[in-house]
Amino acid sequence: MPRQFLPVSRRQLLQSTVLGAAATVAGALSAPAVLRAQAAPVKIGVLHPVSGALSYSGQQGRIGATMAIDEINLAGGLKALGGAKIEPMLGDAQSTPEGGNAEVEKMNAAGVAAVVGGYASSICLSASQTAARYDLPYIVDVGVVDSIVTRGLKNTFRFGPGFGVIAKTALDNLVILNDQAGKPAKTVVIVHEDSAFGSGLAKLLNTQLPERGFQILETIPHPTPTRDFNNVALKIKAQNPDLVIPANYYNEYVLLARTMQQQRVRPKGIYSVLGGAASSYKFVKEFHGAAQYIMDCNHWFDPKNPKALALKKKIEDKNEFYTYEVYMNYSCMLLLADAIERAAGTDRSKIITALRDSTFAGHVMPYGPTRFVDGQNQGAAPVNTQVLDNDIQVIFPASFASAKPVFPMPRA
Amino acid sequence: MRQRAGRGRSAAARRSAMFSPAILLAAVLNGLMTGAVYALVALGLTLIYGVLHIINFAHGALLTAAMFAAFFVHRLLGLDPYVAAVFLAPLFFLVGYGLQRFIIGPAAHGEDRNILLVTLGLAVTIENALLYAFGADTRTINLPYAFDVVEVGPALLAVPRIVAFIVVFAVALGLWLVMRWTDIGKAIRAVAKEKLGAELAGIDVAHVYAVTFGLGTACVAIAACLLIPSYYVNPHSGNAFVLIAFTIVVLGGMGSVPGALIGGLFVGVVESLSGYYLGESLGQVSIFVMFILVLLFRPRGLFGERA
């Protein structure tokens, strides 16, 4: 009986006090790694759709997040927590919102300090909602639907830009591009996937493009996955628009571009807003002919940041492609690690506060230091790219453009 | 030609573009090509129905299994799916033969409604085994000729579709020759017409049943090899085809081989045109509306013999 009143034995108490003292001293003196390894690891949920229709993007996201974790751990772990290592808990959302929910439940039960990822808007929406029930901090890596940060969830933070900002940038730049070329484009066909991301974007474009002098000839929805774009290509051919605006995920984007090439559908420009493949080195390398001259408004690393270029080299040395999922997740993980350092522990509400007050500048995106208002990073913005000669060049904003846009596309 | 009204094109001009004969022809040809593969899947189904008088619910799962086989033969051995068909068709014939001879036949205990449940159980087992072994991932293969095209009038037809179209007709012709001129073909027809009489004449009915099931499964294996260059495979990818194949079998007449062929092509064209005019998701709806209409107004189908 008496033992039950003394859950910690004298020996254990002694040990922990000595260890605690050692850790404090170690922290102060920046002691060797042997001592640091004794701090309990911090579990972080790394959630991506690594199987199913979005598996490629999910796997890329996982590469970015785990690479940041490896770098942090190699550099001595979380300093404010006595050099605690980050232990990733990898989750597979299976490309569905339900899959994402189930993983967040598991992660919460396993006691993670926070969750990073989601990728697709629909997964981010439901996974962050589930995380909110447990006051579990959730950093959205990509999901762009605006409602992700307008639901008043205290736990949810989006590092990248949302639809509103992206669409505005994309449309402003489209008008500039068209004006510079002598207004060759007047008519548009939109091809979009029919979940939260594609439908939301199509709706936005349908209200905003006419205001800027473009006529929308047709809006064509399709499910994900779709393995045959022949009918869609025929429809585009029938309408013969000046511009085609695709809004879909990687596989469908590639297939659409290849089917358009196959069916010899040549509009004056293919201009995507968050095109699933339009600014992907994988697409450019594997299907160069279909990718040439495609323009995109999308997430892009800061080409003037040496850290971003070092990461690019590191990824390419591993024979992987440096896609936006990689550097977005890499940055989100660094952002979270910084917040945990400032929270000086794994208390969820303290991490949420630390994220809210974050002014983190150590990421690789062209956003400047982070500043969250209602969960949205205010500096986040997309850039415009174009596929030119086997490479992806930045064409807007002028401050770090690496090439002049080629528009209209030259006739082959 | 482009017409512009004010800032852009008028609604009428946009509609007329949708009905231009060149585009219409391209959509019809696309539909015929897709329909040919549907027809091959339906052929296997209708053959089994015509002889065994059972609806094989495992057809879709067997198609999925064959697609996985074609996928991995390409991935691991680097074998082109069209070459793989030469090996996979006999292999799946044996699988089908074995399934009927040693599982479905004995488990039925002479009751047709038992067979229904056995094939349903097989379907669930196969699908979940595939799910367990390979996960829910959607896989595709990249072939150098997958996006090559042949110009047919105003339409540009993808090479894999043309190959599929030709192979389906070759298989149908081969099947017809087997049924018409070989002893086993005659035996199959005899069993289909009059089981008891055939048995009295000394035909091994269990063997004929198994051969028929094997032939139906071999059709599915060939269909899988024709699909894999331009389609994807996951543990459920066969189901989409089998639902359509059921429609075709009902439309063409249960057990009718020409019915399956013509029904397949017809359904392909309907799907393509309604997909083109009504959108990708409604394309499939029109097939099932047709299914219900056929059941209501011509339940024995276009070429069916029995009610």
Side-chain angles (χ1 to χ4, degrees):
Chain A
M1 280 301 280
R3 275 189 197 163
Q4 284 184 340
F5 292 109
L6 195 69
V8 180
S9 74
R10 200 165 54 97
R11 189 172 290 170
Q12 279 171 334
L13 187 71
L14 213 68
Q15 269 179 347
S16 62
T17 322
V18 170
L19 270 183
T24 320
V25 174
L29 297 179
S30 169
V34 187
L35 273 176
R36 279 182 186 165
Q38 286 166 343
V42 174
K43 278 191 191 155
I44 291 179
V46 177
L47 175 68
H48 293 100
V50 293
S51 68
L54 308 174
S55 61
Y56 177 71
S57 293
Q59 279 154 10
Q60 291 292 100
R62 183 180 273 186
I63 289 172
T66 50
M67 186 156 266
I69 292 174
D70 290 347
E71 282 181 10
I72 293 165
N73 287 344
L74 263 177
L78 297 163
K79 307 222 168 27
L81 279 71
K85 295 276 189 282
I86 296 177
E87 185 186 312
M89 180 173 173
L90 302 178
D92 178 11
Q94 299 180 4
S95 302
T96 63
E98 300 78 38
N101 276 343
E103 291 293 328
V104 170
E105 294 282 358
K106 268 193 244 167
M107 287 169 177
N108 176 60
V112 298
V115 176
V116 171
Y119 179 65
S121 290
S122 46
I123 299 174
C124 292
L125 276 169
S126 65
S128 57
Q129 184 96 40
T130 305
R133 287 213 300 271
Y134 306 110
D135 291 321
L136 179 60
Y138 189 105
I139 300 182
V140 171
D141 57 344
V142 175
V144 289
V145 169
D146 279 324
S147 56
I148 290 175
V149 288
T150 56
R151 294 168 298 169
L153 297 182
K154 296 270 178 288
N155 70 321
T156 304
F157 295 88
R158 180 166 60 197
F159 172 67
F163 256 159
V165 172
I166 295 169
K168 188 179 178 311
T169 313
L171 292 169
D172 287 350
N173 287 341
L174 176 62
V175 170
I176 296 173
L177 184 81
N178 199 30
D179 288 353
Q180 281 176 356
K183 298 199 182 207
K186 292 180 184 67
T187 55
V188 177
V189 165
I190 300 165
V191 182
H192 70 92
E193 64 92 42
D194 59 7
S195 82
F197 155 60
S199 305
L201 188 59
K203 201 171 147 199
L204 208 89
L205 290 174
N206 265 293
T207 53
Q208 302 219 349
L209 276 173
E211 286 170 14
R212 295 171 202 240
F214 293 95
Q215 187 195 8
I216 296 171
L217 298 178
E218 192 159 1
T219 303
I220 309 171
H222 67 80
T224 303
T226 291
R227 266 307 277 182
D228 182 9
F229 274 99
N230 272 296
N231 273 332
V232 173
L234 283 177
K235 267 190 206 179
I236 300 173
K237 207 176 197 175
Q239 297 291 9
N240 194 16
D242 300 325
L243 277 180
V244 172
I245 302 187
N248 32 29
Y249 291 112
Y250 186 85
N251 290 336
E252 283 67 29
Y253 195 99
V254 171
L255 198 65
L256 174 66
R258 292 183 73 195
T259 310
M260 281 174 66
Q261 185 197 19
Q262 176 197 53
Q263 296 292 329
R264 296 179 204 155
V265 180
R266 298 283 288 181
K268 289 177 184 157
I270 300 177
Y271 186 92
S272 15
V273 183
L274 297 168
S279 34
S280 163
Y281 285 113
K282 179 178 159 76
F283 177 44
V284 174
K285 189 179 167 212
E286 289 176 0
F287 306 109
H288 172 247
Q292 180 75 323
Y293 301 122
I294 287 182
M295 289 174 283
D296 192 18
C297 182
N298 215 328
H299 313 290
W300 198 254
F301 60 91
D302 179 355
K304 290 187 174 161
N305 182 341
K307 203 168 168 179
L309 298 172
L311 179 65
K312 180 170 191 270
K313 188 171 180 315
K314 204 166 160 184
I315 296 285
E316 285 170 353
D317 286 348
K318 285 176 74 177
N319 271 327
E320 301 287 355
F321 290 100
Y322 194 47
T323 58
Y324 69 86
E325 298 92 341
V326 175
Y327 41 81
M328 298 283 278
N329 274 281
Y330 177 85
S331 298
C332 287
M333 195 53 77
L334 295 184
L335 165 72
L336 176 63
D338 172 73
I340 296 176
E341 292 271 16
R342 283 184 298 104
T346 54
D347 183 278
R348 290 176 177 179
S349 62
K350 281 186 184 154
I351 296 175
I352 289 174
T353 311
L355 279 170
R356 204 187 56 212
D357 302 336
S358 170
T359 53
F360 178 63
H363 55 77
V364 299
M365 304 300 288
Y367 301 165
T370 51
R371 187 170 72 83
F372 287 101
V373 175
D374 296 329
Q376 174 60 46
N377 182 15
Q378 298 300 302
V383 312
N384 272 81
T385 59
Q386 185 169 28
V387 179
L388 292 167
D389 302 324
N390 275 323
D391 203 356
I392 298 170
Q393 306 287 354
V394 175
I395 51 172
F396 292 112
S399 54
F400 53 84
S402 54
K404 287 226 172 303
V406 178
F407 177 76
M409 294 201 228
R411 294 270 152 184
Chain B
M1 276 292 100
R2 259 185 207 199
Q3 302 162 25
R4 295 195 187 280
R7 197 173 66 191
R9 231 172 293 167
S10 73
R14 274 151 63 192
R15 262 199 308 279
S16 77
M18 288 287 287
F19 288 98
S20 98
I23 300 286
L24 207 63
L25 181 70
V28 169
L29 285 174
N30 269 334
L32 284 176
M33 304 278 140
T34 318
V37 180
Y38 291 164
L40 187 56
V41 179
L43 207 60
L45 200 62
T46 209
L47 195 67
I48 293 171
Y49 178 82
V51 180
L52 283 74
H53 304 295
I54 57 158
I55 291 168
N56 176 21
F57 279 110
H59 212 59
L62 286 168
L63 177 63
T64 313
M67 285 167 86
F68 268 107
F71 175 85
F72 280 107
V73 162
H74 176 267
R75 172 63 58 87
L76 302 176
L77 308 175
L79 215 55
D80 190 279
Y82 298 139
V83 181
V86 178
F87 304 100
L88 288 180
L91 180 73
F92 272 78
F93 174 84
L94 291 178
V95 169
Y97 188 96
L99 279 179
Q100 167 61 28
R101 189 90 203 224
F102 303 112
I103 297 177
I104 301 173
H109 299 292
E111 290 256 13
D112 279 0
R113 52 168 184 264
N114 286 354
I115 302 186
L116 205 81
L117 293 176
V118 175
T119 59
L120 195 63
L122 265 179
V124 175
T125 311
I126 295 171
E127 260 180 33
N128 284 290
L130 291 171
L131 187 64
Y132 179 76
F134 307 118
D137 280 0
T138 294
R139 298 157 205 254
T140 54
I141 60 176
N142 265 324
L143 294 164
Y145 53 80
F147 278 81
D148 289 351
V149 286
V150 175
E151 274 192 75
V152 181
L156 298 162
L157 296 177
V159 167
R161 286 162 169 253
I162 295 177
V163 171
F165 191 77
I166 294 167
V167 170
V168 168
F169 277 87
V171 169
L173 182 71
L175 206 59
W176 182 79
L177 288 174
V178 166
M179 297 297 260
R180 188 104 193 97
W181 299 110
T182 63
D183 284 346
I184 186 71
K186 285 175 190 164
I188 289 174
R189 283 189 291 140
V191 171
K193 270 228 162 68
E194 181 52 62
K195 184 181 151 197
L196 192 64
E199 215 164 0
L200 285 171
I203 292 172
D204 180 354
V205 172
H207 174 69
V208 167
Y209 271 12
V211 167
T212 311
F213 205 95
L215 285 175
T217 312
C219 283
V220 152
I222 297 170
C225 294
L226 298 176
L227 278 172
I228 201 75
S230 58
Y231 204 69
Y232 58 84
V233 54
N234 65 39
H236 306 290
S237 50
N239 290 340
F241 290 89
V242 166
L243 268 179
I244 294 170
F246 275 126
T247 312
I248 293 166
V249 169
V250 169
L251 177 74
M254 306 285 269
S256 161
V257 171
L261 266 186
I262 293 168
L265 296 178
F266 183 70
V267 164
V269 171
V270 167
E271 185 196 40
S272 175
L273 286 180
S274 53
Y276 179 71
Y277 288 109
L278 306 175
E280 292 300 308
S281 24
L282 280 174
Q284 298 261 314
V285 170
S286 59
I287 294 177
F288 299 111
V289 169
M290 199 164 69
F291 181 68
I292 295 168
L293 289 179
V294 170
L295 283 177
L296 274 176
F297 297 109
R298 199 181 161 84
R300 66 197 170 88
L302 300 176
F303 296 86
E305 286 165 5
R306 289 171 298 267

